Amino acid sequence: MTGTGGEEMGVQAARSRALAVLRVRSRALAVALLPAAAAVILVAGGATGHLTGGVWDALRWVVSGLALLVLAAAVAVALVVARARPAVTPTVTVDEESAPDLYGMVRDLADRLDVPAPSAIALTPDCDSWLEDRTHPAHGRPPPAPEPDGATLPGGPAPRRGDAAPVLVIGSPFLWWMRVGELRAVLAPVVAGTGPSAHPDIAAARRFIRGLDAAAAVVSAGGRRGPLSRAAYGGLGRVVRLLLRGCRVHAAEMERGVAWAAAERAQAVDYGVRIVAQEQVGLAYAGWDRLLTRVALPAWRMGRWPARLDVGVVAALTELSRRDRLAEGFASRLGERPACDLLEEPGAMDEAVSLLAARLFHGGPSGASPDWSPVGWDDYPEEVVDRTWRTDAARLHRVLDALGVRRAAGHTAPGTGGPTLARVLDHLTTPADEASPGALPTPAPATAPDPATAPGAAPTRAHAAEPAEHARRAESPGSAEPAGGDGSVTRTGSPADAAPHRPPAPAYGDHDTHGGHLATHPHVAQPDAAHLDTDLPGGDSDDPSGHRRAAPATPTPTPATAAAVDEADDEADDDDLAGTTARGAALAAGLSAQLAREEAEASVTGAGVPDAHPAAVAPTAGPAPDPALWDDRALPLLPLQPPRTGREILTAHVTAMVCCAAMDTAGAVPGLDWLDGPSLLFDGVRAADLAPSVLTLVETGDPGPLRTWMTELGIRPEKPVRLV
């Protein structure tokens, strides 16, 4: 076999590092037994008459007591390490009955590589593939190992849990975008990792490291109710961290050796196709990232989850190839058999993975309900785009009411005092006597009335002096961005942050809003469509030893840390609002406080909060995530984006109001762009040059460019619009 020498060297390197990890375990055991050995020597010396006298008797009692104490502590640590549940990535298990062709392909691949076949196959909403050990008792019953030709005799011994091969986890976007040959080539180095995983020393070292890692998680989440509990967890934490530091370098080198050996073995299988398939990995990652942040996130905020995300990936990547000409040669590959044909019911599997993605990235409930229902791509513009814009526009007018802004200017016609775009333009327009070069100063927060304190408002945690802080804690992003390469409106998400809880819409001007579960998103970069060919992060599909873990929950900051972060955030928000007019800054502060109030109401009423029993409600009768793999305390495990700033919130709401006016007075319709999300369509063509005009109004108070844009398209700002 090609690369046998490199493979053997990789296995030997991994085994030597595994033995080093096991020596750390042996040394820890020796240290724990050392006081007991000394006590045995002293007791034996006294029994034989060699170590007698008062001093030896006292020393015997002291050492024996110390030995018992150390042994008890060692047994406690060993029990915690052995019983702690290792973290496992939530996935959707693919039964062999629902994907016989996929299982057949993987087993044929394992036979060609001369390695054990994976014990099971699972799907994850991620652009990556890896092997994952799920032999711990907390992960449920071990999957039955396939026996060739029925070799297992009736009444024979059942396979042990530790003998089960790892589970093969496949990124669902790969199945829908890649062809069968490409998927096979990408999975070859991953499946090859089952060979080194079966080595006894490597398997034992991995179990020890996973146990230490799980014990560290137990310590971090342990109770702190009393001094005894704090002392016990503190001692356990110090021991576990000491052992982890001793194993860190050896464990990393062991995994590197396993990956080396697997890559060398996989060179004999579809090597040329694998080079081409890796290009598809990067392209799938780019399309999946944009689909989640630009298309799925607005729907999740509205209490809807797209039920065919993987189908959307194909549409997004096809549009990306057409628009940016990144894949001119990909048209010929579309005639080949797609990898999703290896599934018996790809639609049901796509729906289960789509719901899992909503839970992982947004923290939604575990199943369909009146407040959390699926939405098809055909209904997306009407059910998501239109509703988000009208919800944002309604919130904007409620804040204007709270600020005391008149509904109609003196020169407007009778009957136009409703929710009009002209009201927003007149308020944000800077009078000539107030205009000055550069950015206008931001008003003091105390001068901005808080909509939460308006008559009829529900109790809230948000105050007028802290709108930006609450917005950062409660608001998810999704603002209008500058126009894309074609000059059209590009959005990072929905302008609305309406909640999954959706009672009948309140009348205009009613301050009783319906809240929502708004996740905080620390990071995800948004690549521009015109530059995705140069910034395509590759997957880790060639790493067969990637025993990935679910991301832990964000740790609770200390009061000092929280104060420092709040102070830094306040300074950043002040700098952001300093680039707007005085009226714009006040309106942005009110919108931020209103969004914070809605989030507070949602947290009190439980609207949009993930339930504690993920298996209680299933979206369909098809596959569903394994409840044994869930830890709802950490949802969302992989939040998507950072919170919006006050200026971005204001820009998104003004853009939503303009879109509502365009739909109600100029015949525009909501649309869906596969790469940029919600879009405004005039006669089937995306509206252009809206974002720069809105930014000019927000930042300088000049409505001229926006009024010119509306005049050209026939939008009448003085006409009332329909809101939710």
Side-chain angles (χ1 to χ4, degrees):
M1 179 177 294
T2 304
T4 301
E7 175 193 342
E8 291 299 330
M9 293 179 61
V11 173
Q12 292 176 6
R15 183 176 180 274
S16 64
R17 293 294 182 170
L19 292 176
V21 172
L22 297 179
R23 281 195 295 269
V24 173
R25 185 183 65 178
S26 300
R27 289 167 187 160
L29 179 61
V31 170
L33 294 178
L34 185 60
V40 169
I41 293 174
L42 291 175
V43 172
T48 57
H50 290 84
L51 303 176
T52 59
V55 176
W56 288 106
D57 292 340
L59 183 60
R60 200 166 11 253
W61 282 105
V62 171
V63 174
S64 299
L66 178 62
L68 291 176
L69 182 62
V70 172
L71 285 177
V75 170
V77 172
L79 287 177
V80 172
V81 172
R83 296 176 62 86
R85 174 183 175 180
V88 177
T89 307
T91 55
V92 176
T93 301
V94 181
D95 297 328
E96 186 170 1
E97 294 78 9
S98 61
D101 293 343
L102 180 60
Y103 272 83
M105 185 194 74
V106 171
R107 287 173 182 164
D108 178 69
L109 190 59
D111 290 340
R112 290 189 59 184
L113 294 170
D114 194 20
V115 296
S119 59
I121 299 176
L123 297 184
T124 178
D126 193 5
C127 291
D128 201 356
S129 298
W130 65 91
L131 295 174
E132 194 162 81
D133 191 318
R134 296 182 179 177
T135 58
H136 194 274
H139 298 151
R141 294 183 301 174
E147 295 293 339
D149 302 328
T152 302
L153 297 178
R160 296 181 302 170
R161 174 179 294 275
D163 296 336
V167 175
L168 174 61
V169 181
I170 305 175
S172 63
F174 293 166
L175 282 174
W176 269 259
W177 175 243
M178 290 184 174
R179 309 296 103 179
V180 173
E182 295 169 348
L183 180 66
R184 177 189 179 91
V186 168
L187 294 181
V190 184
V191 175
T194 59
S197 298
H199 195 284
D201 294 333
I202 297 176
R206 282 177 166 174
R207 284 195 299 269
F208 179 59
I209 295 171
R210 284 196 302 270
L212 291 178
D213 185 64
V218 171
V219 171
S220 63
R224 300 291 188 270
R225 298 181 180 179
L228 184 59
S229 175
R230 286 195 297 270
Y233 277 102
L236 175 62
R238 282 190 290 271
V239 172
V240 170
R241 285 190 294 269
L242 179 62
L243 294 175
L244 283 174
R245 282 195 296 268
C247 299
R248 179 185 306 164
V249 176
H250 300 302
E253 293 298 328
M254 178 185 68
E255 298 299 341
R256 190 172 290 111
V258 170
W260 179 13
E264 289 290 337
R265 181 180 290 268
Q267 285 185 1
V269 179
D270 300 333
Y271 181 75
V273 180
R274 180 149 37 99
I275 297 177
V276 179
Q278 286 300 325
E279 300 177 1
Q280 308 304 319
V281 173
L283 190 64
Y285 186 96
W288 180 251
D289 178 73
R290 292 180 71 89
L291 185 75
L292 290 181
T293 56
R294 306 291 180 91
V295 179
L297 187 57
W300 294 339
R301 291 176 181 155
M302 293 299 300
R304 310 297 298 273
W305 50 278
R308 296 293 186 270
L309 277 180
D310 290 305
V311 172
V313 171
V314 178
L317 292 177
T318 303
E319 175 65 18
L320 180 64
S321 303
R322 182 196 64 81
R323 182 183 302 181
D324 297 327
R325 297 181 180 179
L326 296 178
E328 294 181 355
F330 293 163
S332 59
R333 60 184 291 275
L334 296 180
E336 303 175 8
R337 184 187 183 191
C340 62
D341 281 355
L342 299 174
L343 304 174
E344 290 293 322
E345 298 181 0
M349 196 64 65
D350 192 4
E351 184 172 357
V353 174
S354 300
L355 179 58
L356 177 59
R359 302 209 71 202
L360 290 176
F361 299 116
H362 187 67
S366 61
S369 66
D371 299 331
W372 182 248
S373 57
V375 59
W377 292 124
D378 293 338
D379 300 329
Y380 185 94
E382 183 68 24
E383 296 293 331
V384 177
V385 179
D386 181 84
R387 185 173 179 83
T388 53
W389 284 345
R390 298 190 187 278
T391 302
D392 252 10
R395 184 184 298 111
L396 177 62
H397 281 278
R398 286 196 297 270
V399 174
L400 289 175
D401 289 340
L403 292 174
V405 179
R406 292 183 300 173
R407 294 200 175 186
H411 61 276
T412 56
T416 59
T420 63
L421 176 58
R423 181 193 188 196
V424 179
L425 298 179
D426 293 341
H427 176 70
L428 291 178
T429 300
T430 301
D433 55 351
E434 295 182 10
S436 61
L440 294 179
T442 303
T447 62
D450 189 345
T453 60
T460 175
R461 299 178 301 174
H463 301 284
E466 302 175 330
E469 175 184 350
H470 286 292
R472 278 185 296 273
R473 294 178 179 176
E475 175 59 19
S476 295
S479 61
E481 291 184 349
D486 58 353
S488 55
V489 180
T490 304
R491 308 178 65 85
T492 59
S494 168
D497 297 299
H501 180 60
R502 299 171 58 191
Y508 169 74
D510 188 358
H511 291 280
D512 292 333
T513 60
H514 51 280
H517 177 66
L518 302 176
T520 304
H521 303 307
H523 66 279
V524 159
Q526 297 302 313
D528 189 55
H531 304 287
L532 285 175
D533 53 343
T534 59
D535 297 322
L536 294 180
D540 296 333
S541 299
D542 277 340
D543 183 6
S545 59
H547 290 257
R548 292 177 37 147
R549 298 181 296 114
T554 303
T556 303
T558 61
T561 304
V565 172
D566 291 343
E567 182 178 357
D569 289 346
D570 290 340
E571 293 178 359
D573 191 70
D574 291 341
D575 293 340
D576 177 73
L577 293 179
T580 63
T581 64
R583 293 184 178 183
L587 185 56
L591 288 170
S592 300
Q594 176 73 5
L595 288 169
R597 185 169 74 94
E598 293 178 4
E599 190 274 340
E601 292 175 351
S603 64
V604 173
T605 60
V609 178
D611 54 17
H613 303 286
V617 181
T620 62
D626 189 350
L629 307 180
W630 277 105
D631 182 6
D632 284 346
R633 296 171 298 177
L635 292 176
L637 296 178
L638 305 170
L640 289 179
Q641 292 180 308
R644 291 181 295 181
T645 62
R647 179 168 55 180
E648 291 173 341
I649 293 174
L650 176 60
T651 302
H653 283 71
V654 174
T655 302
M657 187 63 202
V658 174
C659 292
C660 291
M663 291 187 293
D664 291 348
T665 66
V669 296
L672 168 62
D673 187 276
W674 291 110
L675 297 176
D676 297 327
S679 59
L680 185 66
L681 303 179
F682 284 90
D683 297 328
V685 181
R686 293 181 61 187
D689 301 330
L690 173 57
S693 303
V694 173
L695 288 175
T696 301
L697 173 65
V698 170
E699 295 176 353
T700 66
D702 180 13
L706 183 57
R707 290 187 181 275
T708 301
W709 182 85
M710 292 188 299
T711 301
E712 294 176 352
L713 296 176
I715 301 174
R716 303 183 61 180
E718 74 280 0
K719 291 291 185 178
V721 299
R722 178 175 59 86
L723 304 178
V724 296

